[in-house]
Amino acid sequence: MWRDESVTYQVAHRSLGELWGLLGEIDAVHGLYYLLMHAVFAAWDGGLTALRLPSVLATALAAAGVGAIGTRLAGRRAGTLAGLVFAVLPLTQQYAQEGRSYALVTAGVTWATYFFLRATADSRARWWTAYVLTLHLASWLHEFAALVLLAHGLTLWRSRPERRDVRRWAGAAAGVGLGLLPLAVLSAGQAEAQLGWLGRPSAGAWLLFAGLSVVAVLLCRRLIRAGAPGAVPLTRLALPLLIAPAGLLMTLSLVKPWYVDRYVLYGMTGLALPAGAALSWAIGQRHRLAPAARALTACLAAGAAVAVLLPWSLLVRSPESRKDDVVAVARVVERQARPGDGVLFLPARRREWLLSSPGVYGRLDDLALAESPAASRTLQGTERDAAAIRRAVLAADRVIALTDPPGQPLDPFPQEDIKRRTLRTHFEVCERTRVQGAQIVVYARPGRCTP
C-alpha cells in the first residue's frame, strides 16, 4: 500500500459525519469514491483485498467496454483483441490493482463512449440517457472524466452528423456540465491544496504522450490504407479519445499544473482500439503465408509481446513501482517502538504512513499533533506551533522520526525546522532503517541508545 491508497483506506474508515466534514475542506474531487469505499468497508472490512477489489472489477468492466466498442466498429474479433490489449497495457494493470478511483473512472468513460456510439447511430432517447448518466457518474468520481466530452465532440464533428445528433449531443454535454457544476465550484476552492504539489509535465511525459500518439496514428493510417473493416469510424473515435483529453490537460499544465497520467487513464482505450483492429487485420491476412511461416510469425509475435510486457507487468506489481510503501514503514515502526516512545513526522504529511495502521500509531505519542485528522477535518491532522513542538520533543527520552529518504527537499516551515534542529541538537541517532520511499530513524538522548 502506498500513500495515496493509505489516504483512501483511512478516510473510508471514518464515520459519515467525519467524511462529510473532510470533503467540505479538501478532496471533494474524490468524495463519491470515498463514499463508495466507505460502503465497501462497512459491508466487508477485508483490508487490502477490499481496498483494491473495486478497481479490479472496474478494470474488467472497462476491458469489456473496449471490447464492445471495438466489436461495434470493426467486428467481434477486433473487439475481443482490443479488450485484451487494453487489459495488458502497463498503465491499465497498474491502476487495476490500486485502491484509488481511476479504474472506476475509466470504466465509466469507456461505457459512456459505447453509449455515445449507440446514441449517434440510433438516436433513441434511452441511449442518450445512458450516455448522460454514465458520464455524469464518471465525472463525479473524478471531474477530469468530463474532458472526454472534447473527444466525443471531435468524433462527432469528423463524422458529419445530422443536426439532430449535434443538438442532442450538445444537450447531453450541457447536462453533464450543469450536473458537475457543484463539484467543480467546490473543488476549485480546494485546488491549491489538492494540486499544489504538481509540477509542469516533464520531458519524459511529453515524449511518452507523443510516442503513444504516433503509434496510434500509424496504426490507424495502416488500417485505412488496407481497407480494414471499420477503420475510418474507429480512427475518428480512437485518436481524439487518446489525444484530446491528455493533450488539453498537458497544454493547460504549462500555465497551471494539473496533469498526471492517471487523471486521463481512460485515454488508453484510444490506443487499444486500433491495436486490436490491427491485430485482427493481421490475423485475417494469415492465408497469404505458408503454414510454417504462420507458426513462426505467431511465435515471434507472442515472444515479442511477452518480452516487452512481462517486465512491466512484474514491475507494477512490486513496491518499487510506487513512491513509498506504508505497510513496510508500519512494520519497521512496530518492531522498533517501545512503550512511551514519541513519534515525529518530517514533514507532517508523512503522518499518512501510520494512519492506516492505527494499532501501531496508537502505541506512540505523536509529539507534534495538535488535532487529529478526523477532528480537524483534514487528511493528516494539524500540528502545534514550533515552540510547543520543541517543548514536547525535549520532554521525550526516545523519538522515532519518519522522514523522506536522503536527497529530498526539506520543508521550510517553522514547525519542520524546529523538529530537525531539536533532534540534531539534543538527541543522537540510534538506528536508521530505509524502506521504499522512506526512512525510519530512532533517536535517543546522548548515551541512552540501547540494542
Side-chain angles (χ1 to χ4, degrees):
M1 191 196 305
W2 75 292
R3 68 182 70 159
D4 279 15
E5 289 184 296
S6 178
V7 170
T8 299
Y9 189 86
Q10 60 100 352
V11 168
H13 277 85
R14 298 186 191 185
S15 69
L16 286 176
E18 292 168 342
L19 184 50
W20 189 255
L22 169 74
L23 299 180
E25 301 294 330
I26 194 171
D27 251 9
V29 68
H30 297 300
L32 181 59
Y33 176 67
Y34 290 152
L35 289 169
L36 168 66
M37 294 309 301
H38 178 87
V40 169
F41 285 122
W44 175 49
D45 200 346
L48 272 172
T49 303
L51 177 68
R52 291 172 174 161
L53 186 59
S55 294
V56 176
L57 298 176
T59 301
L61 187 62
V66 174
I69 294 169
T71 297
R72 183 160 188 84
L73 292 174
R76 184 180 297 276
R77 185 172 62 199
T80 301
L81 291 169
L84 290 172
V85 168
F86 175 82
V88 301
L89 289 173
L91 269 179
T92 301
Q93 293 193 32
Q94 178 171 344
Y95 295 105
Q97 40 96 39
E98 182 165 298
R100 295 297 278 174
S101 65
Y102 309 110
L104 282 80
V105 173
T106 299
V109 170
T110 301
W111 279 99
T113 301
Y114 173 78
F115 295 137
F116 166 74
L117 286 178
R118 296 301 303 264
T120 52
D122 191 314
S123 285
R124 279 185 286 182
R126 66 179 184 179
W127 296 118
W128 286 110
T129 301
Y131 174 62
V132 171
L133 292 178
T134 308
L135 188 51
H136 190 64
L137 175 62
S139 299
W140 271 82
L141 284 167
H142 196 287
E143 58 191 326
F144 285 166
L147 294 176
V148 80
L149 287 168
L150 174 61
H152 292 166
L154 290 171
T155 297
L156 194 64
W157 171 63
R158 293 292 295 167
S159 302
R160 299 179 181 178
E162 297 181 7
R163 289 185 178 181
R164 175 188 61 186
D165 288 333
V166 174
R167 289 196 302 269
R168 290 181 176 178
W169 177 81
V176 172
L178 287 174
L180 190 60
L181 189 60
L183 177 61
V185 170
L186 181 58
S187 61
Q190 301 174 355
E192 190 59 35
Q194 190 79 41
L195 300 174
W197 59 274
L198 281 175
R200 292 176 175 80
S202 65
W206 281 104
L207 286 173
L208 178 62
F209 172 68
L212 294 177
S213 301
V214 168
V215 168
V217 168
L218 292 177
L219 287 173
C220 290
R221 186 177 179 184
R222 178 60 180 163
L223 289 169
I224 292 173
R225 285 186 171 182
V232 172
L234 186 144
T235 298
R236 289 172 179 167
L237 178 76
L239 293 185
L241 195 58
L242 174 65
I243 296 171
L248 175 63
L249 202 56
M250 292 181 78
T251 303
L252 292 175
S253 293
L254 295 175
V255 179
K256 186 70 173 178
W258 282 349
Y259 173 79
V260 181
D261 56 4
R262 57 184 178 264
Y263 293 169
V264 286
L265 176 64
Y266 53 82
M268 290 298 99
T269 297
L271 178 62
L273 286 169
L279 286 172
S280 178
W281 175 82
I283 291 171
Q285 304 303 305
R286 66 188 184 278
H287 63 276
R288 298 185 178 185
L289 300 174
R294 289 183 209 170
L296 179 60
T297 302
C299 289
L300 288 174
V306 170
V308 171
L309 294 172
L310 184 59
W312 284 100
S313 296
L314 295 175
L315 176 62
V316 300
R317 286 165 172 78
S318 69
E320 288 72 29
S321 67
R322 304 302 197 271
K323 291 181 179 179
D324 51 20
D325 183 354
V326 302
V327 174
V329 171
R331 286 173 179 164
V332 172
V333 173
E334 185 175 28
R335 174 174 57 83
Q336 294 178 336
R338 301 177 184 174
D341 280 356
V343 64
L344 282 177
F345 302 91
L346 295 93
R349 57 184 176 276
R350 299 298 174 252
R351 187 171 281 106
E352 192 57 59
W353 286 339
L354 289 188
L355 289 178
S356 53
S357 300
V360 178
Y361 181 51
R363 293 165 50 190
L364 301 167
D365 181 12
D366 193 336
L367 301 175
L369 186 68
E371 199 170 18
S372 71
S376 61
R377 299 180 177 183
T378 61
L379 292 176
Q380 285 93 30
T382 57
E383 296 207 330
R384 301 168 176 171
D385 61 39
I389 291 175
R390 184 177 185 276
R391 289 194 298 270
V393 175
L394 290 176
D397 291 324
R398 252 174 57 106
V399 177
I400 298 178
L402 278 65
T403 75
D404 287 330
Q408 296 297 310
L410 300 176
D411 283 17
F413 309 121
Q415 291 97 325
E416 303 301 334
D417 182 62
I418 201 67
K419 293 176 194 175
R420 295 190 295 265
R421 284 197 290 113
T422 305
L423 289 173
R424 186 171 58 247
T425 304
H426 298 281
F427 292 79
E428 66 180 15
V429 175
C430 302
E431 185 177 357
R432 187 186 303 270
T433 306
R434 294 181 185 176
V435 297
Q436 174 66 17
Q439 64 175 343
I440 301 94
V441 186
V442 179
Y443 289 89
R445 293 290 188 171
R448 298 186 185 179
C449 286
T450 57

